[in-house]
Amino acid sequence: MPLPPGPDLSSWRQLYRWIREPMPFLEECRARYGRSWTLHLPGLAHAVVMTTDDAVIRAVFADAGDALHAGEANVVLRPFVGRRSILLADGPAHRRKRKLLLPPFHGERMHAYGRTILEVADASVDRWAVGRAFPLHPEMREITLRIIVRTVFGIEGDARFEELVGLLGEALDAAAWPPLLMPMFQRRLLGFGPWARYERTVRDADAILYEEIARRRRADVPRADILSMLLSARDEDGHPMPDAELRDELVTLLVAGHETTATALTWAFRHLLERRDLEGRMLAELEPAFARGPDALAKLPLLDAVTRETLRLRPVIPIVARLLKEPMRLGELDLPAGVAIAPAIYVTQRDPELFENPSAFDPDRFLRTSSRPAASEWFPFGGGVRRCVGMAFALYEMKLVLATVVRRARLRLAPGAVAGMERRSITFAPRDGLPVLAVAKAPRGESVADEAPERRATTPEAAE
Ligand code: HEM
């Protein structure tokens, strides 16, 4: 079975381009080879067939998880989330884990986290000084890390949790260097270097996590946080989750639930700062909804459209992958066992056949029509049985943080801020952490709209 054609470069050159400039590389391949193409990367036993083909993507997301293995395709994440993580599981083990992890992120339960999200976002805005430039991405990381730690553990203001927040932030900073994704760079070098620093902080964070698991098991007091729900969960034989598995799932939620959302939020501001004509409309929509609480905010049409458009143009994670366990026909593609099929989120969501003027940041595209794009056209959270466990939580969190910041702080790009993006581990964020300047700020519970707003319309355009 011949695989779709792909770049005629050495596998090392393909890897270099994939690590250094994945977005232009994806776009070039799409332009040159059509809807599906094949990459060969050193260190991977299998070829990777990337696709933007609607029928193939639908077939991938329709699989029940036995013929297509995402866990095996995610093996590169093992040193970061632990070998028992849901991200690395497949088949029945994966189904069991999902059953345990989904309930805390569903419906009503998720909405209980609304007040926490607003409170954490407010506390960050309180600290911003008017007139002083600062990078926004670290602020967003701090907000989303505090939110996830508070919702997972249900605790705040405790010294050990302050330490945990610090250690997790440090571990993720250490792991952000892209070469660390490759085993050859995961070396201790006599206790020095980024890998040794990463391992040390993870060890310290683990000590706090295991201590908290033990303390909660002893206390046995029912609580509403995610850790308590996982502690009380039982498998079909009535067994609780062992400590080591619980540790890996907690780390997965903390890691998967924080850097991704922070990066998406930073992109949202990157584009909003260039579409200042949206500021007045957003403020007008937000103001009356704040009095009605977090759920009313989350239902606002323009806020929702800004969130979805950000994730369309800047999906944070450019592809998802599945390893074929048997030969399969996916759409028109006949593929052998042992290759990986990768729906290419980034290029699909910029396909001019699917989205008009696709490189423009244009939230109104979601308001002009009542129909949503199909699950094979807009899929920043992946799809099928592997779709992101935290999707509803992330959308809710993004909207509430955006609402708080837009309402209280008038931000501008700092002088000298440059366009472009940089890779942090598997995510892609605005360059230099997006330096911004707060030119005005309102106290908690008030809006910058109350001061005479400076309005300047700009045309929608791509950020690059
Ligand atoms: C904007 C924010 C986020 C984005 C863009 C994002 C994106 C993704 C993507 C692309 C996947 C892989 C899906 C696939 O293979 O089809 C994934 C999986 C996952 N995400 Fe997220 N995510 C976000 C936030 C979160 C949050 C807040 C949490 C939890 C608190 C979370 C937890 C997970 C977990 C546990 C998985 C593994 C699911 C599985 O393997 O069954 N994510 N996410």
Side-chain angles (χ1 to χ4, degrees), residues 134-164:
F134 61 95
L136 194 64
H137 193 203
E139 291 293 322
M140 292 299 124
R141 287 209 301 274
E142 169 90 11
I143 290 178
T144 58
L145 182 55
R146 284 186 181 280
I147 288 171
I148 193 71
V149 166
R150 269 168 71 164
T151 46
V152 166
F153 296 101
I155 290 184
E156 56 187 287
D158 175 302
R160 277 170 325 125
F161 282 87
E162 286 304 315
E163 197 184 339
L164 183 62

Side-chain angles (χ1 to χ4, degrees), residues 9 19-20 48 75 83 95 133 137 161 201 209 214-215 226 237 262 264 283 326 337 420 426 430 436 446:
L9 300 169
I19 296 273
R20 289 287 303 179
V48 183
V75 69
R83 68 184 167 82
R95 284 193 277 278
H137 193 203
F161 282 87
T201 39
L209 289 175
R215 200 174 69 83
I226 293 170
D237 305 321
L283 282 167
E326 55 193 58
I426 59 161
V436 297
E446 293 178 28

Side-chain angles (χ1 to χ4, degrees), residues 293-335:
D295 285 7
L297 287 167
K299 290 195 185 102
L300 296 175
L302 180 57
L303 185 61
D304 182 69
V306 164
T307 308
R308 286 177 193 276
E309 176 67 346
T310 301
L311 290 164
R312 181 193 69 79
L313 198 55
R314 306 295 185 175
V316 184
I317 295 172
I319 62 161
V320 287
R322 313 281 188 259
L323 194 69
L324 271 76
K325 300 307 288 177
E326 55 193 58
M328 287 179 87
R329 187 171 176 82
L330 298 166
E332 296 288 303
L333 283 183
D334 275 314
L335 297 176

Side-chain angles (χ1 to χ4, degrees), residues 138-451:
E139 291 293 322
M140 292 299 124
R141 287 209 301 274
E142 169 90 11
I143 290 178
T144 58
L145 182 55
R146 284 186 181 280
I147 288 171
I148 193 71
V149 166
R150 269 168 71 164
T151 46
V152 166
F153 296 101
I155 290 184
E156 56 187 287
D158 175 302
R160 277 170 325 125
F161 282 87
E162 286 304 315
E163 197 184 339
L164 183 62
V165 166
L167 287 167
L168 289 168
E170 256 177 64
L172 285 159
D173 274 344
W177 189 50
L180 279 196
L181 286 170
M182 285 178 279
M184 72 185 88
F185 289 95
Q186 295 166 1
R187 299 268 155 82
R188 280 184 202 130
L189 306 173
L190 301 168
F192 295 99
W195 187 250
R197 181 159 76 95
Y198 171 72
E199 282 197 326
R200 265 196 308 276
T201 39
V202 168
R203 243 189 338 265
D204 293 346
D206 275 355
I208 299 179
L209 289 175
Y210 279 119
E211 196 185 299
E212 183 59 17
I213 293 171
R215 200 174 69 83
R216 291 288 184 90
R217 286 210 199 275
R218 280 196 307 273
D220 204 20
V221 182
R223 296 163 53 148
D225 54 71
I226 293 170
L227 173 56
S228 302
M229 292 182 67
L230 296 180
L231 282 168
S232 60
R234 296 289 178 267
D235 65 16
E236 296 92 53
D237 305 321
H239 299 305
M241 213 189 268
D243 283 4
E245 184 178 354
L246 200 48
R247 177 267 176 208
D248 287 356
E249 301 305 11
L250 289 175
V251 170
T252 301
L253 294 179
L254 296 171
V255 171
H258 129 254
E259 181 92 23
T260 43
T261 316
T263 303
L265 276 164
T266 311
W267 279 119
F269 286 109
R270 176 80 180 85
H271 290 291
L272 286 175
L273 292 176
E274 290 181 341
R275 282 289 314 270
R276 279 162 53 185
D277 54 310
L278 290 172
E279 197 172 89
R281 279 174 65 198
M282 287 186 81
L283 282 167
E285 185 190 62
L286 287 173
E287 208 35 48
F290 258 96
R292 302 204 305 274
D295 285 7
L297 287 167
K299 290 195 185 102
L300 296 175
L302 180 57
L303 185 61
D304 182 69
V306 164
T307 308
R308 286 177 193 276
E309 176 67 346
T310 301
L311 290 164
R312 181 193 69 79
L313 198 55
R314 306 295 185 175
V316 184
I317 295 172
I319 62 161
V320 287
R322 313 281 188 259
L323 194 69
L324 271 76
K325 300 307 288 177
E326 55 193 58
M328 287 179 87
R329 187 171 176 82
L330 298 166
E332 296 288 303
L333 283 183
D334 275 314
L335 297 176
V339 305
I341 179 80
I345 306 173
Y346 180 85
V347 260
T348 307
Q349 295 185 166
R350 287 174 174 238
D351 186 336
E353 285 173 26
L354 301 177
F355 298 95
E356 201 187 324
N357 198 4
S359 53
F361 179 76
D362 178 18
D364 285 296
R365 71 174 80 243
F366 286 91
L367 302 176
R368 282 192 288 269
T369 156
S370 55
S371 61
R372 291 251 165 103
S376 54
E377 298 171 353
W378 185 90
F379 53 103
F381 296 97
V385 293
R386 303 302 296 227
R387 196 179 75 178
C388 175
V389 163
M391 173 175 162
F393 184 84
L395 289 171
Y396 189 62
E397 177 180 3
M398 279 183 71
K399 290 181 203 175
L400 297 189
V401 174
L402 274 168
T404 306
V405 175
V406 169
R407 184 192 198 205
R408 288 191 55 204
R410 185 165 303 129
L411 299 178
R412 297 291 175 254
L413 280 177
V418 279
M421 64 169 78
E422 61 196 18
R423 187 178 186 129
R424 280 180 55 88
S425 191
I426 59 161
T427 61
F428 296 85
R431 197 157 141 203
D432 302 328
L434 188 61
V436 297
L437 192 69
V439 293
K441 210 177 92 173
R444 278 193 194 207
E446 293 178 28
S447 166
V448 277
D450 298 339
E451 305 164 33

